[in-house]
């Protein structure tokens, strides 16, 4: 009996299509016992192992498949995917090329080859692979999505939007493309469209993190007399960003329970101490849901209160208040008669952290300026970097050794508040400084690694009015940004002049 007519084989393929790879694998392995020389079974077993991230087994079985059938369709493709997952990019490219020789009209392998080129920052070659895949199959949504990402990096925004809209029409529930559309529309200040797509984040990167799902969502800001829970999502920086909307939220005639990261709860309580219709809780606190009428993730407040640029006219530039006694203590400790300048230079974000970071050695023109006392605001172990700068350049960057910058957010906010000015890359320090109304110079990438809320062609943040944005003119080139910041800083030699920034 041929495999295509075998009921067990058909069942296993159906399970694999449903993503139930443990079950499909067990059936394929049983079938293999009766037909150990069948290359197609080997390929499907290897594919199941690959989907289960058991790469060593996947590699072993794929090689056995190729021993049985050196030109087996999709086997070299799978080998390339395994090698890509094992971070062997050059070997992966060779495997993809072998598959293309065997199956030149196979768009899937061209798409995956393009993804690898993209990961290797070889964007021109990635674009060529995606375009070949699209020419072979104009209804293939994935390369349209990937091509759009590259065009977005090149500031070809309208064409990127067109490709993304086509991709979501072709592929049902294409949440990765929804996310790109959300970020692109928001980046371009197209808020109504952006917030609509942004709601799908709970189906992709935040899948499984939605809370209070049994309670209706708050969608009408004209409602009054209700009890509404606003819950935390994403990281601390995101919660602070969306926290800028809370002042408007509290003006509605409702009662609120606001849930935040536990490290932020005391900060919000102090900063909104005059608000009487709100309770602040940490995400580890119990919430009595019996009296709650509506719920909303804090990131969805934008669709109610920030649907046009006019909604970002903010009267008070500061909305969070640091612990005054700790800030005063730091000011005394840092007093050198110079301008206290807090600095933060890197991001630890998994996918784009390196694109947003600026090596400390590239800061040298800033760090060599006279009249400034530089303070380390960067979380993580920075001793070696600071020590190298001090040893090689005789530049001292002050660090408060006893401050845990990751867990003691109250202490970090107080230290930032004690600074006269902050210079930072795109990381959580920018949100802390902006929320405190601190004069801040923000270094952002041109496109690659740029977060949507540092909007296109904006030189000041619309979320934090005291943040001035210094953007790259070209991806990965930071020297002009550093030079422009130096020019701004050189206008100031004494603390009283800081109000001019």
């Amino acid at each position: 009996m041929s495999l295509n007519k075998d009921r067990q084989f058909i069942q296993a393929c159906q399970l694999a299509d449903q993503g139930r790879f443990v079950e499909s694998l067990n059936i394929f392995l049983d079938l293999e016992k009766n037909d150990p020389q069948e290359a197609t079974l080997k390929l499907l077993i290897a594919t199941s192992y690959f989907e289960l991230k058991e790469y060593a087994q996947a590699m072993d079985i794929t090689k056995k498949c190729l021993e049985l059938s050196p030109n087996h369709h999709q086997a070299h493709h799978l080998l390339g995917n395994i090698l890509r997952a094992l971070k062997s990019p050059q070997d992966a490219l060779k495997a993809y090329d072998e598959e293309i020789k065997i199956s030149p009209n196979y768009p899937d392998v061209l798409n995956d080859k393009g993804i690898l080129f993209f990961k290797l920052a070889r964007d021109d070659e990635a674009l060529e692979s995606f375009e070949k895949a699209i020419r072979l199959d104009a209804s293939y949504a994935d390369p349209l999505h990937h091509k759009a990402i590259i065009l977005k990096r090149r500031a070809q925004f309208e064409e990127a939007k067109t490709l993304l809209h086509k991709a979501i029409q072709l592929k049902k529930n294409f949440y990765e493309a929804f996310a790109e559309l959300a970020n692109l529309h928001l980046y371009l200040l197209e808020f109504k469209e952006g917030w609509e797509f942004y709601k799908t984040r709970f189906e992709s990167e935040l899948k499984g993190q939605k809370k209070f799902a049994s309670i209706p969502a708050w969608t009408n800001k004209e409602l009054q007399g209700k009890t509404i829970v606003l819950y935390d999502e994403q990281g601390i920086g995101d919660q602070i960003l969306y926290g800028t909307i809370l002042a408007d939220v509290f003006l509605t005639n409702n009662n609120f329970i606001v849930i935040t990261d536990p490290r932020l709860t005391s900060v919000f309580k102090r900063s909104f101490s005059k608000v009487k219709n709100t309770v602040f809780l940490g995400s580890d606190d119990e919430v009595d849901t019996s009296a709650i009428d509506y719920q909303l993730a804090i990131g969805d407040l934008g669709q109610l209160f920030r649907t046009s640029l006019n909604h970002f006219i903010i009267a008070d530039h500061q909305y969070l208040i640091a612990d005054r006694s700790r800030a005063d203590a730091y000011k005394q400790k840092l007093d050198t008669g110079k301008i206290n300048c807090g600095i933060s230079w890197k991001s630890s974000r998994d996918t784009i952290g390196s694109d947003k970071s600026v090596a400390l050695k590239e800061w040298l023109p800033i760090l060599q300026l006279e009249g400034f006392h530089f303070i380390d605001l960067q979380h993580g172990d920075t001793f070696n970097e600071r020590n190298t700068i001090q040893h090689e350049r005789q530049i001292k960057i002050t660090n408060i050794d006893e401050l845990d910058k990751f867990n003691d957010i109250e202490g970090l906010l107080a230290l930032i508040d004690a600074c006269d000015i902050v210079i930072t890359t795109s990381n959580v320090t920018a949100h802390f400084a902006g929320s405190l109304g601190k004069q801040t110079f923000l270094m952002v990438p041109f496109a690659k690694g740029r977060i949507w809320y540092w909007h296109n062609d904006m030189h000041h943040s619309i979320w934090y009015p005291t943040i001035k944005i210094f953007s790259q003119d070209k991806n990965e080139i930071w020297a002009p940004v550093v030079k422009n910041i130096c020019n701004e800083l050189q206008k100031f030699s004494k603390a009283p002049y800081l109000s001019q920034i």
Side-chain angles (χ1 to χ4, degrees), residues 55-56 59 81-88:
Y55 300 129
M59 176 75 80
N81 287 346
I82 296 166
L83 289 164
R84 190 178 82 197
L86 292 172
K87 302 189 185 309
S88 297

Side-chain angles (χ1 to χ4, degrees), residues 35 57 63 114 128 166 174 241 243 251 276 295 325 340 352 363 380 390 400 414 437:
D35 198 351
Q57 294 95 322
K63 287 181 177 179
E128 183 181 355
K166 184 176 180 180
F174 197 174
L241 179 82
L251 293 176
K276 304 305 178 186
Q295 55 78 21
S325 62
N340 286 322
I352 57 174
W363 287 62
Q390 184 165 358
I400 306 299

Side-chain angles (χ1 to χ4, degrees), residues 5 16 32 41 58 69 89 103 130 163 176 211 261 279 291 296-297 346 372 386 394 415 418 431 486 493 501:
K5 295 180 181 179
E32 185 195 30
L41 276 176
S69 179
S103 309
F130 295 138
L163 291 173
E176 294 85 353
K211 302 176 184 176
D261 185 296
V279 174
L296 198 67
K346 57 187 174 182
F372 289 89
R386 288 184 286 104
Q394 290 74 54
L415 179 59
H431 298 284
C486 281
S493 59
I501 297 178

Side-chain angles (χ1 to χ4, degrees), residues 36-324:
Q37 300 302 307
E38 175 53 64
T40 296
L41 276 176
K42 293 274 193 294
L43 180 67
L44 292 169
I45 290 167
T47 301
S48 296
Y49 277 127
F50 174 76
E51 295 293 345
L52 293 169
K53 296 183 172 24
E54 297 181 23
Y55 300 129
Q57 294 95 322
M59 176 75 80
D60 180 58
I61 302 298
T62 303
K63 287 181 177 179
K64 289 178 180 177
C65 170
L66 287 168
E67 288 172 5
L68 291 168
S69 179
N71 292 329
H72 196 289
H73 177 55
Q74 298 185 16
H76 289 283
H77 180 197
L78 177 60
L79 180 62
N81 287 346
I82 296 166
L83 289 164
R84 190 178 82 197
L86 292 172
K87 302 189 185 309
S88 297
Q90 298 309 317
D91 290 333
L93 286 172
K94 291 177 183 177
Y96 289 144
D97 286 339
E98 283 299 315
E99 184 66 42
I100 292 168
K101 288 179 186 176
I102 298 164
S103 309
N105 297 321
Y106 180 32
D108 282 7
V109 70
L110 287 164
N111 180 63
D112 284 342
K113 184 181 179 183
I115 291 171
L116 181 52
F117 277 136
F118 181 77
K119 289 180 180 292
L120 295 171
R122 293 163 64 175
D123 285 3
D124 288 341
E125 292 162 287
L127 199 58
E128 183 181 355
S129 285
F130 295 138
E131 288 173 345
K132 285 181 180 178
I134 294 165
R135 284 197 296 272
L136 287 170
D137 184 357
S139 66
Y140 190 10
D142 291 66
L144 292 170
H145 167 232
H146 295 131
K147 179 180 177 181
I149 293 173
I150 295 176
L151 295 183
K152 178 185 170 187
R153 285 186 175 186
R154 297 179 173 185
Q156 295 174 242
F157 301 128
E158 292 306 314
E159 188 176 350
K161 277 192 289 187
T162 299
L163 291 173
L164 289 168
H165 279 285
K166 184 176 180 180
I168 64 174
Q169 290 170 0
L170 291 169
K171 185 175 179 179
K172 185 180 179 181
N173 299 331
F174 197 174
Y175 294 117
E176 294 85 353
F178 287 146
E180 286 295 336
L181 270 171
N183 292 339
L184 183 50
H185 280 295
L186 291 170
Y187 180 59
L188 298 174
L189 306 173
E190 297 164 358
F191 293 106
K192 289 183 179 179
E193 302 92 333
W195 294 129
E196 190 63 31
F197 287 114
Y198 194 64
K199 290 188 292 188
T200 65
R201 68 196 179 282
F202 286 104
E203 303 297 334
S204 51
E205 69 265 31
L206 300 184
K207 191 172 182 63
Q209 295 185 34
K210 202 159 190 174
K211 302 176 184 176
F212 308 104
S214 62
I215 300 172
W218 182 34
T219 59
N220 181 4
K221 68 179 182 180
E222 305 305 324
L223 284 175
Q224 297 185 9
K226 303 298 182 181
T227 298
I228 301 167
V229 60
L230 306 175
Y231 62 88
D232 58 316
E233 59 166 287
Q234 304 181 70
I236 280 185
D238 302 279
Q239 293 174 44
I240 292 174
L241 179 82
Y242 299 121
T244 61
I245 307 174
L246 289 176
D248 290 348
V249 171
F250 297 153
L251 293 176
T252 67
N253 189 19
N254 293 290
N255 296 308
F256 293 94
I257 299 169
V258 179
I259 300 172
T260 72
D261 185 296
R263 293 171 292 175
L264 287 174
T265 307
S266 61
V267 179
F268 276 98
K269 285 180 178 178
R270 176 173 57 253
S271 303
F272 291 100
S273 60
K274 294 180 180 179
V275 176
K276 304 305 178 186
N277 60 339
T278 299
V279 174
F280 288 95
L281 299 175
S283 55
D284 52 0
D285 291 328
E286 290 291 327
V287 179
D288 180 7
T289 59
S290 61
I292 296 174
D293 299 301
Y294 295 96
Q295 55 78 21
L296 198 67
I298 193 169
D300 284 328
L301 289 173
Q303 66 182 320
L304 295 179
F305 294 90
R306 296 290 184 270
T307 57
S308 78
L309 191 57
N310 291 335
H311 295 157
F312 287 85
I313 299 173
I314 302 169
D316 191 351
H317 290 179
Q318 175 182 8
Y319 93 94
L320 291 186
I321 300 172
D323 183 322
R324 178 51 50 201

